[in-house]
Amino acid sequence: MLKNQEVGIKVKLAALWSSVTFCYLYGDYFELYTPDKINSLITGENILDSPTKLLVASMLLAIPSLMVALSVVLGPKITRFLNILFGTLFTVMMIFIGVNSMVKWYSFYVFLAFLESAITITIVWYAYKWPKKSD
C-alpha cells in the first residue's frame, strides 16, 4: 500500500500558483495563433501599445510568479493574507476576461480563464482554511 505523504499548506499554495502561472503563459502564447494577432504586434495596434501599459501588465503578471516563492518563504499571517488578496483579485480578473472573450477564436482563452479562476478560488479557499496551530 502506498503512503499518502502529508503536504504542507505553503507547498500546496506554491504549487497552485505555479499551475495558474503556466496557464497564463500558455493562454498568452496560444493567443499568438489567433487571426491578426501577429500583425497587431508588428503594427503596435494592440492593448499594450505604450511603455506604461507594458510596465503595468508586467507588474501585474509578476504577482503570480512571485506568489510561488512568497507562499513558501513568508510567515503564515502575511502569506495567508497575500494569498487571499491576490487569489481573489486574479479570480475576479479572469472571470471578467473569460466572460468577455467568448468568441469563436478565443474558446481556448475562455477555457483557460475559467480553469485559472478555479485554481485561484482554490488558492483563496486553502489560504482561508489555513490550519491553526494546535495547543
Side-chain angles (χ1 to χ4, degrees):
M1 189 141 167
L2 299 175
K3 179 181 178 186
N4 187 16
Q5 187 66 36
E6 180 78 24
V7 177
I9 184 69
K10 289 183 164 203
V11 173
K12 288 178 184 179
L13 292 168
L16 288 164
W17 280 111
S18 296
S19 295
V20 80
T21 299
F22 278 119
C23 288
Y24 295 148
L25 291 170
Y26 283 126
D28 290 342
Y29 174 73
F30 290 148
E31 186 183 19
L32 296 174
Y33 291 91
T34 61
D36 296 323
K37 183 61 179 183
I38 297 296
N39 190 46
S40 74
L41 294 174
I42 293 169
T43 63
E45 295 175 18
N46 58 66
I47 194 168
L48 298 176
D49 59 359
S50 74
T52 302
K53 289 179 183 178
L54 281 169
L55 176 60
V56 170
S58 296
M59 291 167 49
L60 185 64
L61 288 175
I63 293 170
S65 298
L66 288 172
M67 286 306 296
V68 174
L70 294 178
S71 292
V72 175
V73 301
L74 294 178
K77 285 185 181 178
I78 188 70
T79 302
R80 181 177 187 258
F81 172 77
L82 291 176
N83 275 278
I84 292 171
L85 174 70
F86 291 129
T88 302
L89 172 71
F90 279 86
T91 298
V92 171
M93 280 181 9
M94 294 319 299
I95 289 172
F96 177 80
I97 289 169
V99 167
N100 288 295
S101 298
M102 292 190 181
V103 295
K104 182 179 177 183
W105 271 98
Y106 279 77
S107 58
F108 73 94
Y109 217 66
V110 173
F111 166 75
L112 286 171
F114 290 122
L115 176 60
E116 292 155 4
S117 297
I119 295 169
T120 52
I121 287 168
T122 304
I123 288 168
V124 172
W125 178 253
Y126 273 126
Y128 180 76
K129 300 295 270 180
W130 193 288
K132 304 293 185 232
K133 193 175 186 180
S134 58
D135 294 328

